[in-house]
Amino acid sequence: MALCRLVLLIFVLSFLVSSLNASEGDADPIYKACLEECEKSGCVGEKCFQHCKFSSDGKPIDGPWYLQEPLYQKWKQWDCRTDCQYHCMITREEQREKLGNKPIKYHGKWPFQRVYGIQEPVAVAFSALSLAVQFHGWLSFFILLNYKLPLRPDKKTYYEYTCLWHIYAILAMNFWFWSAIFHSRDVELTEKLDYSSAVALVGYSLILAILRVFDLRDEASRVMVAAPLVAFVTTHILYLNFYKLDYGLNMKVCMAMGVAQLLIWGIWAGITSHPSRWKVWLFVVWGSLVVFLEIYDFPPYKGFVDAHALWHAVSIPLTYFCWSFVQDDAEFRTSTLLKKIK
């Protein structure tokens, strides 16, 4: 019951988190003055940007075509305005640090240090590592089912949730891929793809939790559970992409579905006799930590590691715990079915 209270507390806290359209840094007069001067002169202090001689859509104001912004910068959409915003932000934060002030947000984001044009390098690295761990877990699961465990006469697996976990793996790898892209460069398209893939993964994970915990194996029962949740998730994704990209609402939706599945898995682990139920408990406790880091916010240390970057880091062992249990579950269910057949 203590664990359930913890999960519920985190759920309540997630609804107290608000998202502001404007940030404190946007209204800073020194930052605003720097931004206006940079867009006119193309310089922040001694640092000047060649592509500031062109409009933000890439069309030349004057000069020959070969002086236009390089293709690799166009691909990342680092135009004159975004470069001015970044360097004015960094310059202003250096000034504030000398005065003993804490970092503040600009345009809804903490002041991160770029590395080779990558906006949040630590989050990108952890996302890529999570993608690799996710692929390794799925590949190990695939090898276990098809080459180590016995198969039915028709060459299908005995494990009833094989297809469901394969779909989970695809959605999870899709999410971590777009997460890495989004943290490399935050633009509207990458933000929508990141949010959409996250909602799809969390929504499907909730469906999968219900199907596995309640041991629903016939197609009719699965459709009855999945249909309303699929409809809800699809509607939410359409809302984010074509009506309003609402960060606050998206956070609440993801938290609600995430906490729901933690509660489902936690209660099941408390009453089941599954030999690997301790891994489920570990998954729930660690998952609660992951949820807490998602709602807890603090400035990036040295301009690189913030709460969200740590969220990416602690998600790596969570992925390992998940696939470890799935493989144990496949072995347990297969052996149980084989005993019944004999």
Side-chain angles (χ1 to χ4, degrees):
M1 289 302 295
L3 181 61
C4 290
R5 292 193 191 100
L6 172 63
V7 174
L8 285 172
L9 174 61
I10 293 174
F11 176 64
V12 172
L13 288 175
S14 70
F15 277 83
L16 299 178
V17 177
S18 60
S19 177
L20 300 177
N21 293 325
S23 301
E24 187 179 351
D26 305 356
D28 187 300
I30 299 177
Y31 170 76
K32 291 170 69 177
C34 173
L35 197 58
E36 291 174 4
E37 179 60 30
C38 177
E39 291 179 354
K40 292 177 183 177
S41 65
C43 299
V44 176
E46 297 180 356
K47 187 173 183 62
C48 298
F49 318 112
Q50 182 184 16
H51 53 278
C52 275
K53 295 179 180 179
F54 303 83
S55 61
S56 60
D57 60 4
K59 295 180 180 179
I61 297 174
D62 56 7
W65 62 270
Y66 52 81
L67 288 178
Q68 295 185 28
E69 187 179 5
L71 285 176
Y72 76 91
Q73 289 183 333
K74 286 184 177 179
W75 176 75
K76 292 181 179 178
Q77 295 189 29
W78 291 122
D79 54 33
C80 178
R81 181 171 181 79
T82 53
D83 266 340
C84 285
Q85 289 176 347
Y86 171 75
H87 289 283
C88 283
M89 174 187 70
I90 295 300
T91 301
R92 181 61 182 133
E93 280 303 302
E94 289 174 354
Q95 296 169 351
R96 288 175 52 82
E97 186 178 4
K98 290 177 181 178
L99 295 172
N101 296 323
K102 295 181 179 180
I104 56 176
K105 289 186 177 182
Y106 297 80
H107 307 286
K109 305 289 182 181
W110 288 115
F112 286 95
Q113 293 280 354
R114 286 188 202 167
V115 176
Y116 297 110
I118 297 176
Q119 196 165 335
E120 298 177 42
V122 175
V124 171
F126 285 141
S127 293
L129 189 55
S130 291
L131 175 60
V133 174
Q134 191 72 239
F135 177 76
H136 177 268
W138 171 69
L139 185 62
S140 301
F141 175 66
F142 179 84
I143 293 172
L144 173 69
L145 287 175
N146 292 278
Y147 297 100
K148 295 182 179 180
L149 294 178
L151 297 173
R152 296 178 186 269
D154 58 0
K155 300 301 180 182
K156 292 183 179 180
T157 64
Y158 282 98
Y159 188 49
E160 309 97 322
Y161 305 96
T162 300
C163 183
L164 296 176
W165 284 112
H166 285 326
I167 296 173
Y168 169 82
I170 293 170
L171 290 175
M173 289 186 287
N174 175 70
F175 164 68
W176 288 117
F177 172 79
W178 288 117
S179 175
I181 298 298
F182 168 65
H183 290 294
S184 296
R185 181 65 177 102
D186 177 3
V187 295
E188 184 179 1
L189 176 61
T190 58
E191 189 173 25
K192 286 181 177 179
L193 288 168
D194 177 65
Y195 285 12
S196 299
S197 58
V199 174
L201 174 60
V202 176
Y204 182 78
S205 298
L206 176 58
I207 294 172
L208 187 51
I210 296 172
L211 297 183
R212 177 61 191 92
V213 165
F214 291 96
D215 198 20
L216 302 178
R217 283 172 278 179
D218 62 285
E219 292 300 321
S221 299
R222 290 182 174 185
V223 170
M224 288 179 64
V225 170
L229 287 171
V230 169
F232 172 75
V233 170
T234 303
T235 303
H236 181 65
I237 290 174
L238 291 173
Y239 175 88
L240 292 176
N241 283 273
F242 299 106
Y243 184 71
K244 183 181 180 181
L245 192 60
D246 190 329
Y247 173 80
L249 174 63
N250 188 61
M251 171 71 80
K252 291 173 183 177
V253 169
C254 288
M255 285 295 171
M257 293 191 294
V259 169
Q261 61 184 284
L262 286 178
L263 285 171
I264 291 171
W265 282 116
I267 294 171
W268 180 73
I271 61 176
T272 186
S273 58
H274 197 290
S276 296
R277 59 186 177 276
W278 67 271
K279 291 185 179 180
V280 179
W281 278 111
L282 190 59
F283 174 84
V284 172
V285 173
W286 201 266
S288 299
L289 174 62
V290 170
V291 172
F292 178 75
L293 283 173
E294 183 66 9
I295 63 177
Y296 181 64
D297 198 17
F298 60 82
Y301 178 72
K302 299 296 185 182
F304 291 104
V305 182
D306 69 335
H308 191 68
L310 289 180
W311 175 86
H312 283 277
V314 298
S315 295
I316 297 171
L318 188 68
T319 300
Y320 176 80
F321 299 151
C322 174
W323 282 110
S324 178
F325 167 75
V326 172
Q327 293 180 57
D328 290 351
D329 190 46
E331 292 180 351
F332 174 69
R333 293 295 303 172
T334 299
S335 63
T336 301
L337 289 172
L338 286 173
K339 288 177 182 178
K340 289 180 178 180
I341 293 173
K342 293 177 181 179

